[in-house]
Structures are given as C-alpha cells and as structure tokens.
Amino acid sequence: MGKPLSEMTLEELWELFPIILSEHKSCWTDWYEDERQALTILLSGRRFKIHHIGSTAIPHIWAKPIVDILIEIPENASMEDIRDVLVRSGYICMSETENRISLNKGYTSQGFAERVFHIHLRRCGDHDELYFRDYMNDHPALAKEYEKLKLSLRKKYEHDRDAYTGAKSAFVKKYTDAAKAEYGNRYESAQMKRGTKEERG
C-alpha cells in the first residue's frame, strides 16, 4: 500500500505527479461536461457559474491531461460550505486562502487516476483564466506559441510544478492583459443564475 498523500512531502508529491503533457484529446471536453453535470447536482440550490479553463479547453495544443474547472460564487455565499460539499464527494482540498480554494480529484497514492480534475473555487469576477482561454482560442498562432513554451519547460521542471507554472506566468499575463483590452467587459456583466453555467464556459 502506498504512502498516504497527506503524509507526503511536496517533493514526494511532485515525484509521484510529474508534469506530463500530451496531444490534445477530444475526450477532455466530455470529461468536463460529465463533471460539470455532477457538480451542478452537488451544488443544486446554490448560485454559481462554472467554466472549463486551462489548456484542455484550448483545442489543438498539448496539455497536461488534467481538466481545470473554475467555479465562481457570489460574495455572500459560503466558500467553506461549498468546499465541504466537494470534499464529502471525493475532492481533496489542496490549498485555501480567504477568497480562493483549490481542490483536486484523481490523485492517488499510486499516481494519477484515468480522469483528473482541478477545481478552482473563486468569488465572482476572479476569472482571468477565461480571458486567456478565449484569447488563445481566438488566436491559434499564439496558442501554438504557448504550446511550444510549455513543451520547452516540461523536462526542466518535470518535478517542480510551481517552477513550471512560474516560467509560464509572463506569457500568460501578457495575453490575459491583451484579451482584457480586446474583449472589454465580456464576463463582468454576465448574470449569475442558480445552478447554470456560463455560456462560453
């Protein structure tokens, strides 16, 4: 039996869960949709918006086979309540600050499961990832530049996820800012309905 994840050091976790990139797979969209439906049932009666973010939401580029999901909730909603609902359903709370909680599913003591998910629980409006996602989808040549950058970093930072993410940050910020300039208030005025998803999510 493997060592419990809760007892592993960060270095041991990075060794067990290295940076892996693969060609884009159409099933990632299906995985997101299946998980979106499950989350919508779990969070029934609450107000939230749910989106597919990250590289698995950008067709035709290599990505980590991990589906990133952003859940936005109103300012007056209890983030801890939603965290507890997700933990009871099998998610693992990985990090937590006042306005952000990160949860994972699909991490085992033997390594990655077939389907792996990251949940990014945020307050409404904390959604820069939507701008970056749409900008990459609307500018395929830039998406390929992003792919090239990631491929150049994966071996160097194979067992250091924080460094891998940090090495991409300048590119991500540059084109997130460009997206905000081009798209304006694309998401800021979107109405938050009870149990529904953002249309482009």
Side-chain angles (χ1 to χ4, degrees):
M1 182 178 293
K3 186 176 181 180
L5 299 181
S6 60
E7 296 179 10
M8 291 185 181
T9 65
L10 187 59
E11 290 72 21
E12 287 174 326
L13 289 169
W14 281 343
E15 187 69 28
L16 183 60
F17 304 111
I19 299 296
I20 298 171
L21 298 178
S22 68
E23 290 184 275
H24 195 91
K25 293 179 171 57
S26 60
C27 65
W28 292 337
T29 301
D30 297 331
W31 293 3
Y32 163 73
E33 184 57 27
D34 289 346
E35 201 67 13
R36 184 196 68 77
Q37 292 179 20
L39 289 165
T40 298
I41 293 171
L42 281 173
L43 302 179
S44 177
R46 298 171 175 85
R47 294 175 62 221
F48 64 92
K49 291 188 291 188
I50 186 167
H51 318 267
H52 187 186
I53 60 171
S55 293
T56 60
I58 305 171
H60 312 306
I61 69 169
W62 284 53
K64 296 192 301 293
I66 297 170
V67 175
D68 287 276
I69 298 175
L70 172 64
I71 300 176
E72 295 182 82
I73 62 173
E75 286 294 330
N76 61 354
S78 171
M79 190 166 281
E80 293 74 19
D81 170 60
I82 294 178
R83 174 203 63 201
D84 292 346
V85 169
L86 295 178
V87 168
R88 286 195 298 271
S89 72
Y91 278 92
I92 299 171
C93 184
M94 301 301 293
S95 65
E96 186 170 355
T97 62
E98 183 179 356
N99 290 312
R100 288 186 170 192
I101 295 179
S102 175
L103 304 103
N104 298 340
K105 187 166 77 172
Y107 287 71
T108 78
S109 57
Q110 286 75 47
F112 291 116
E114 179 186 4
R115 296 189 181 193
V116 185
F117 300 94
H118 285 183
I119 297 290
H120 306 265
L121 183 58
R122 308 270 185 81
R123 294 296 178 189
C124 187
D126 185 2
H127 51 212
D128 281 359
E129 292 88 348
L130 300 180
Y131 287 96
F132 182 76
R133 178 201 67 190
D134 284 1
Y135 203 76
M136 291 298 101
N137 284 332
D138 291 343
H139 299 81
L142 289 176
K144 282 298 181 181
E145 285 187 30
Y146 185 48
E147 174 188 71
K148 183 177 179 181
L149 172 63
K150 294 195 300 175
L151 290 171
S152 74
L153 297 171
R154 63 173 173 172
K155 285 301 181 183
K156 182 177 181 180
Y157 299 118
E158 183 178 9
H159 300 290
D160 190 340
R161 187 168 295 190
D162 286 351
Y164 173 79
T165 300
K168 299 184 299 175
S169 62
F171 184 100
V172 172
K173 184 179 187 309
K174 177 180 179 180
Y175 291 109
T176 298
D177 290 345
K180 288 180 175 181
E182 181 172 323
Y183 300 146
N185 296 326
R186 170 175 287 186
Y187 299 107
E188 308 314 316
S189 61
Q191 183 180 3
M192 180 175 292
K193 298 181 180 178
R194 192 174 296 273
T196 58
K197 65 174 180 173
E198 165 67 37
E199 285 301 315
R200 293 199 61 172

